[in-house]
Each structure stands twice: as structure tokens, then as C-alpha cells.
């Protein structure tokens, strides 16, 4: 009798365990259905692209295949301006409680680490050169069919774009120094010959230098305008609350539209990958370039999270930074699974308060701000991507281009919201900042789903380090009133 009862109890326990396991599996699949769909779409796009490439389709067929992918890219570009403007303004304007030393140190820390991350991404891109897996045609040996703008011209172009004449025009045009070819010395409309300062001889022709507007968003001007706009709105306090609410609602609407686009992405991504595989002249080289892009990006994230940030934390606190990473395992895994700093925020707060014993008021103040404006990992990838694309297209970037990338990547990472899907959209802004066609960025969509999860882990880790550093230097208020965002 006892044996029968024990057997029945064991069977019942196994059934309960099996039911619990199935329930957890269903919950996991439901929570990660978009991730699974994107991974599946990437694999499907590679398989179909390889198969279709062997069939050698006509250009007309290729253009039809590219339509769903083109629609996805159009959706991404459509959301660029409203997403970045609303995120930038709300991210800065909502810091109305950040006055004082705590707020200044919080913002200073996040800004400094973002700048370091951007510089790291640029240095790695220039050093590793992931877009040049073959060394047969180095950029330095290329022969140009026209004179290139000198460093002074590039810097002046950057300054003109930082201060655009018209903010509406900046949404679709930017200033650039260009050259026009003449067979003989050009003349002005009044009949006088142009001075030597505005024309030059090159390749047997005379080239007239001028500053013109070209198609393409003026990214640096727009980002700086809305950053300053947010700061001024912050200073207005309650009198500017209506405008803050407007941008907050705009941000929420844009975020919901972004989520809709992300649900369409598993449909568009296979066609983007198929089109790229069909059109690329050397598939093996392109695959090697994309692999090197991933390796370089992961190397940058590893250096930043394992060397740079721990060094800063140890220098400022004289405490073991890896103790923080052990206490943040649950939050880091959540960020890995969701690709969202905002989704991991509740767990980040709980891990910092309960496991790491950081100051509760400081955690409640610092961590929500970090989930909004601290995107160090994204800054690395955003700095790497345009240089990678320029190397693929054998385009030489000037020093001013690198400055534009630094500025745009830093501001775009601050303005990027901590939700899935926004990282690639803001990446397009940085690509456009140096005049590269944003359509070229679709090649990184094949690995974007993976890279953004690594990025989120770096962002969450840096948030926790910031809470630890500020806990070291600030004493919570005596009345224990929690500071909230």
C-alpha cells in the first residue's frame, strides 16, 4: 500500500514538474517571439539569397524582390526625425530634479563614458579596418577624379552644419563644399575672373570650389538644436510643462510606431538580405567584412565593459568592480533577452538596492536617468558603423568627418530611448551625418539583433556602476525621502 502511494506521489510530482516546465517554456517563447522571428528571418534570408543567387535573376526580378525590404528601410527613415527629436527633448527636459551636485555628477559621468565609448569605437574601426578585409586597394593609394576638400573646408562644413540656417531645411539638406569642373578659368557674373582662392587646377582642369546644399539630413544640426531646446525647456520649469507633455506624448506615439515597425521587420529583413546577397559582386568578401564588423564591435564592447568602466569604478571608489557584475547577473540576463534597458530597469534597481546594498534614494534617481540617456554600448556601435561602411565603399573620411561621427554618435546615443528597435534607427542618423547613403546600413541588419543585446548588457552594467560611484560620494537625505525621476 505504501509502495503504491509512493509511486502515485512520484508520478504526480513528475507530472507537476513537467507542467511547470511546459508553462515556463511557453512563457519564454511568448516573451521572445519577436527575437525568435527575427533570428528565423535572418537565417531564411541567407538561405533564400544563396539559392536565388544561383538562379541569376534579372534586374527587374531583383527590384521586385527588394520591395518588402525597401518598405522596411523607408519606415525606419520615416521615424528618424520624430523619434530622435522627441527622445532628446524629453530625455533632457525631464531632468528637472537633477539640479545640484548629484545631478551634475550623474550627467557628467554618463556624458564622459559616452564620449570615451565613441572614441573607442572610432579608434577600433580605424585600427582594425573591418571593411577592408583585402588590402589590394588601400584608400591611401586611390586616384580621385577631382580635388578633395582640404581639412579647413571639412571643418567649416561641420561648423555650418552645427548651426543651420533653417531647422526645417536641416531635416533634408546639409551644407557641403563641392567642386565644379571647367575647361578654362571660370568667371563671375560680373565678368571678372574668380580669385585663386576659389578655384584650383587638378587633373588638367580648373575646379571652382563652392558651398552648396546637398540632399541628406543635417544630423549634427538637428541633434544639437533639440539638445539645447531640451536644456532651455528644462530651465523653464512648470511654465514649460505643456511643451514637455507635448514631446512626451510625441515620444510615446513614436515608440509605439517603432514597435509596429519591429513587428514588420521579420518580413522585411529576409528580402533585404536576399537582395544584398544577389547584388553583391564578391559574396565571400562581404561575408568576411560583416564577420569582422561583428568581431570589432564585440571587441569594443568587451574593452569598454571589462577594462574601461571597471578602471573608472576602481579609481573613483577603490572597490572591486567585478563584485558589481556578479550582483547584476539577473538584470544583465534580462537586458540580454529583451534588448531593452528600460525593460531591465526594475531588476536593475532591485539588484543594486538588495544585492549590492547601494543607496536606495540614489538608485531611484540615477538608474532611471541611465536607462534613458546612458547608451555607451550603442555609442561604440554607432561610431564603428559609418567608418565600416565608408571602408566597404572605399571612401576616405576626413578628420572633420570623424569629428562629426564623434559628435553625432554621442548625441544620438544619449537621445536613443532604452527600448528595442531604436538603436538601428539612431544608427542611420550617424551614417547620414557623414554623407553616406543610409541604404548601405541595411547590411548590418543581419547581425543587429545580436549586437544590440550585447549593447544592452554594457548599458545596464554601466548604470549599476554609476549608482555605486555616486553612493560612494553622496549621503542619502536624512529624511529618507526617495529621489525619483
Amino acid at each position: 500500500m505504501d509502495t503504491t502511494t509512493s509511486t502515485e506521489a512520484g508520478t504526480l510530482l513528475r507530472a507537476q514538474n513537467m507542467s511547470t516546465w511546459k508553462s515556463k517554456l511557453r512563457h519564454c517563447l511568448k516573451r521572445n517571439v519577436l527575437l525568435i522571428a527575427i533570428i528565423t528571418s535572418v537565417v531564411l534570408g541567407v538561405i533564400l539569397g544563396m539559392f536565388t543567387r544561383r538562379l541569376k535573376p534579372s534586374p527587374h526580378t531583383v527590384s521586385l524582390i527588394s520591395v518588402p525590404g525597401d518598405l522596411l528601410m523607408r519606415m525606419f527613415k520615416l521615424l528618424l526625425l520624430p523619434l530622435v527629436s522627441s527622445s532628446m527633448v524629453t530625455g533632457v527636459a525631464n531632468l528637472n530634479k537633477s539640479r545640484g551636485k548629484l545631478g551634475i555628477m550623474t550627467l557628467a559621468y554618463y556624458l564622459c563614458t559616452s564620449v570615451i565609448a565613441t572614441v573607442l569605437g572610432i579608434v577600433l574601426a580605424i585600427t582594425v579596418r573591418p571593411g577592408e578585409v583585402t588590402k589590394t586597394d588601400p584608400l591611401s593609394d586611390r586616384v580621385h577624379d577631382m580635388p578633395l576638400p582640404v581639412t579647413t573646408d571639412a571643418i567649416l562644413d561641420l561648423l555650418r552644419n552645427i548651426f543651420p540656417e533653417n531647422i526645417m531645411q536641416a531635416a533634408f539638406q546639409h551644407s557641403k563644399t563641392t567642386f565644379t569642373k571647367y575647361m578654362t578659368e571660370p568667371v563671375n557674373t560680373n565678368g571678372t575672373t574668380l580669385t585663386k582662392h576659389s578655384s584650383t587646377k587638378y587633373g588638367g582642369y580648373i575646379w571652382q570650389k563652392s558651398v552648396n546644399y546637398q540632399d541628406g539630413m543635417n544630423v549634427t544640426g538637428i541633434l544639437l538644436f533639440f539638445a539645447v531646446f531640451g536644456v532651455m525647456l528644462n530651465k523653464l520649469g512648470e511654465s514649460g510643462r505643456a511643451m514637455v507633455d507635448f514631446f512626451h506624448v510625441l515620444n510615446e506615439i513614436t515608440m509605439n510606431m517603432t514597435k509596429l515597425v519591429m513587428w514588420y521587420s521579420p518580413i522585411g529583413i529576409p528580402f533585404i538580405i536576399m537582395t544584398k546577397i544577389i547584388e553583391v559582386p564578391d559574396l565571400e568578401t562581404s561575408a568576411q567584412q560583416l564577420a569582422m564588423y561583428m568581431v570589432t564591435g564585440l571587441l569594443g564592447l568587451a574593452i569598454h565593459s571589462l577594462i574601461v568602466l571597471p578602471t573608472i569604478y576602481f579609481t573613483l571608489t577603490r572597490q572591486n568592480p567585478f563584485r558589481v557584475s556578479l550582483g547584476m547577473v539577473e538584470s544583465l540576463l534580462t537586458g540580454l533577452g529583451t534588448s531593452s534597458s528600460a525593460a531591465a530597469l526594475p531588476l536593475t534597481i532591485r539588484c543594486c538596492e538588495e544585492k549590492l546594498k547601494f543607496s536606495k534614494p540614489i538608485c531611484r534617481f540615477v538608474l532611471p536617468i541611465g536607462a534613458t540617456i546612458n547608451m555607451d554600448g550603442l555609442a561604440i556601435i554607432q561610431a564603428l558603423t559609418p567608418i565600416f561602411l565608408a571602408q566597404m565603399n572605399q571612401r576616405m573620411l576626413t578628420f572633420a568627418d570623424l569629428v562629426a561621427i564623434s559628435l553625432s554618435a554621442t548625441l544620438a546615443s544619449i537621445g536613443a530611448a532604452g527600448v528595442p528597435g531604436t538603436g538601428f534607427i539612431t544608427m542611420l542618423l550617424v551614417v547620414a551625418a557623414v554623407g553616406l547613403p543610409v541604404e548601405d546600413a541595411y547590411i548590418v541588419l543581419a547581425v543587429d539583433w545580436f549586437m544590440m543585446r550585447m549593447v544592452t548588457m554594457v548599458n545596464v552594467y554601466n548604470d549599476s556602476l554609476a549608482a555605486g560611484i555616486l553612493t560612494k560620494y553622496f549621503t542619502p537625505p536624512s529624511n529618507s525621502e526617495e529621489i525619483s525621476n
Side-chain angles (χ1 to χ4, degrees):
M1 187 69 176
D2 292 340
T3 303
T4 303
T5 303
S6 177
T7 302
E8 292 177 352
T11 302
L12 181 60
L13 181 61
R14 285 193 297 271
Q16 291 176 344
N17 291 336
M18 181 63 69
S19 177
T20 302
W21 182 83
K22 290 181 178 180
S23 177
K24 290 181 178 180
L25 179 61
R26 285 194 299 268
H27 178 70
C28 180
L29 292 175
K30 183 178 180 180
R31 186 178 61 185
N32 296 292
V33 62
L34 180 58
L35 171 62
I36 296 172
I38 291 176
I39 295 175
T40 304
S41 68
V42 171
V43 175
L44 183 63
V46 172
I47 295 174
L48 292 178
M50 298 294 290
F51 175 76
T52 309
R53 182 183 175 90
R54 292 178 174 273
L55 299 179
K56 298 181 179 179
S58 65
H60 177 67
T61 302
V62 174
S63 66
L64 293 178
I65 293 175
S66 67
V67 170
D70 290 341
L71 293 179
L72 178 62
M73 293 303 300
R74 284 175 174 269
M75 293 177 190
F76 279 136
K77 289 188 284 186
L78 177 66
L79 295 172
L80 276 177
L81 185 59
L83 176 65
V84 174
S85 61
S86 60
S87 295
M88 180 67 74
V89 172
T90 54
V92 177
N94 283 330
L95 300 180
N96 56 349
K97 295 183 180 180
S98 65
R99 300 184 180 120
K101 293 183 179 180
L102 177 60
I104 292 174
M105 279 199 65
T106 302
L107 298 179
Y109 174 81
Y110 285 141
L111 180 60
C112 289
T113 56
S114 295
V115 171
I116 293 173
T118 302
V119 173
L120 175 61
I122 292 176
V123 170
L124 284 176
I126 295 175
T127 304
V128 180
R129 308 192 74 83
E132 296 179 15
V133 296
T134 58
K135 305 298 180 182
T136 56
D137 186 23
L139 293 177
S140 58
D141 295 336
R142 291 187 65 199
V143 178
H144 299 275
D145 58 356
M146 69 174 62
L148 293 173
V150 297
T151 303
T152 304
D153 296 330
I155 293 176
L156 291 176
D157 286 342
L158 177 62
L159 292 175
R160 295 186 190 101
N161 288 320
I162 288 177
F163 301 100
E165 294 179 320
N166 188 315
I167 192 62
M168 299 302 295
Q169 183 185 29
F172 54 87
Q173 283 188 330
H174 63 279
S175 299
K176 187 173 180 62
T177 299
T178 58
F179 290 89
T180 304
K181 182 169 62 175
Y182 291 91
M183 298 295 295
T184 59
E185 190 77 18
V187 295
N188 281 326
T189 55
N190 60 6
T192 60
T193 303
L194 290 171
T195 63
K196 294 182 179 180
H197 293 91
S198 58
S199 62
T200 183
K201 293 184 178 180
Y202 184 88
Y205 297 95
I206 296 176
W207 298 83
Q208 178 189 353
K209 181 171 66 176
S210 60
V211 179
N212 299 307
Y213 283 107
Q214 294 190 343
D215 291 339
M217 185 182 295
N218 179 2
V219 177
T220 52
I222 288 176
L223 287 176
L224 280 174
F225 175 83
F226 283 108
V228 176
F229 187 94
V231 172
M232 296 299 104
L233 193 57
N234 184 297
K235 290 182 176 294
L236 290 178
E238 287 301 319
S239 61
R241 178 51 53 186
M243 184 63 72
V244 174
D245 292 340
F246 167 78
F247 277 98
H248 178 73
V249 173
L250 177 62
N251 189 48
E252 290 295 323
I253 293 173
T254 311
M255 289 301 173
N256 290 331
M257 294 176 67
T258 302
K259 292 177 182 178
L260 289 178
V261 173
M262 291 306 299
W263 280 107
Y264 172 76
S265 62
I267 299 176
I269 287 176
F271 293 94
I272 290 177
I273 296 176
M274 284 178 62
T275 305
K276 184 62 179 178
I277 290 177
I278 295 171
E279 293 181 340
V280 67
D282 189 345
L283 185 59
E284 182 180 356
T285 300
S286 297
Q288 292 175 356
Q289 290 171 330
L290 190 58
M292 285 302 299
Y293 168 81
M294 279 189 63
V295 171
T296 307
L298 292 175
L299 178 62
L301 295 174
I303 292 175
H304 193 67
S305 58
L306 298 178
I307 299 177
V308 176
L309 294 178
T311 301
I312 294 174
Y313 183 85
F314 178 78
T315 302
L316 295 177
T317 65
R318 298 299 176 182
Q319 296 175 359
N320 183 6
F322 299 105
R323 167 185 156 290
V324 177
S325 58
L326 292 177
M328 295 294 298
V329 169
E330 188 177 358
S331 178
L332 293 174
L333 292 177
T334 302
L336 176 65
T338 61
S339 185
S340 169
S341 301
L345 180 59
L347 280 174
T348 304
I349 294 176
R350 185 168 68 84
C351 289
C352 286
E353 292 177 358
E354 298 180 4
K355 294 185 178 181
L356 299 174
K357 305 301 180 182
F358 292 156
S359 167
K360 186 174 182 180
I362 289 178
C363 288
R364 296 295 176 92
F365 174 78
V366 172
L367 296 177
I369 296 177
T372 304
I373 68 172
N374 171 43
M375 301 291 162
D376 282 14
L378 185 60
I380 293 174
I381 303 303
Q382 287 179 338
L384 166 66
T385 302
I387 300 177
F388 165 72
L389 296 176
Q391 291 168 356
M392 286 189 65
N393 290 288
Q394 297 185 340
R395 171 183 163 179
M396 182 183 297
L397 295 177
T398 64
F399 174 76
D401 288 330
L402 298 180
V403 173
I405 290 173
S406 302
L407 186 60
S408 301
T410 301
L411 291 175
S413 64
I414 293 174
V419 298
T422 57
F424 180 76
I425 297 177
T426 54
M427 187 189 299
L428 298 180
L429 279 174
V430 186
V431 172
V434 288
L436 290 168
V438 295
E439 289 80 7
D440 289 353
Y442 59 60
I443 187 175
V444 304
L445 269 177
V447 297
D448 180 71
W449 61 272
F450 174 73
M451 298 297 292
M452 288 303 106
R453 277 157 174 78
M454 300 296 106
V455 160
T456 303
M457 292 182 67
V458 175
N459 296 338
V460 172
Y461 180 51
N462 192 27
D463 289 342
S464 63
L465 293 179
I469 292 172
L470 294 170
T471 296
K472 173 74 174 180
Y473 286 93
F474 288 90
T475 303
S478 57
N479 59 1
S480 300
E481 181 180 354
E482 294 182 2
I483 304 175
S484 61
N485 188 2

